[in-house]
Amino acid sequence: MRRLTTLFPSEFLEEHAEELGVVERDRKLQIPAFVWAFVFGFAAGESRTLAGFRRSYNSTADET
């Protein structure tokens, strides 16, 4: 986990998402939290439902 977060720091993820046009509204979605929730939670097989992904994102982003 530490290696990945060092390899892809939050600033890099946000800049890359902006270049790709992923986010239409600034700060409505936290890109770093979204990426890490997907990589470490959803894609890793912890719970592969949309509800599970949402819980993982909310936990990572510290939001409800």
Side-chain angles (χ1 to χ4, degrees):
M1 186 166 122
R2 181 177 290 163
R3 286 183 185 177
L4 281 176
T5 55
T6 301
L7 185 61
F8 300 110
S10 295
E11 296 82 20
F12 170 78
L13 294 174
E14 290 172 352
E15 290 171 6
H16 194 63
E18 186 176 325
E19 289 173 8
L20 294 175
V22 172
V23 179
E24 292 182 12
R25 292 184 223 157
D26 194 27
R27 297 293 176 210
K28 196 68 173 171
L29 175 72
Q30 295 177 21
I31 291 297
F34 181 83
V35 170
W36 300 131
F38 184 77
V39 170
F40 295 120
F42 188 73
E46 181 178 307
S47 69
R48 291 184 169 205
T49 63
L50 289 178
F53 176 68
R54 183 177 181 178
R55 283 190 296 273
S56 179
Y57 171 77
N58 287 341
S59 174
T60 304
D62 196 28
E63 293 200 9
T64 58

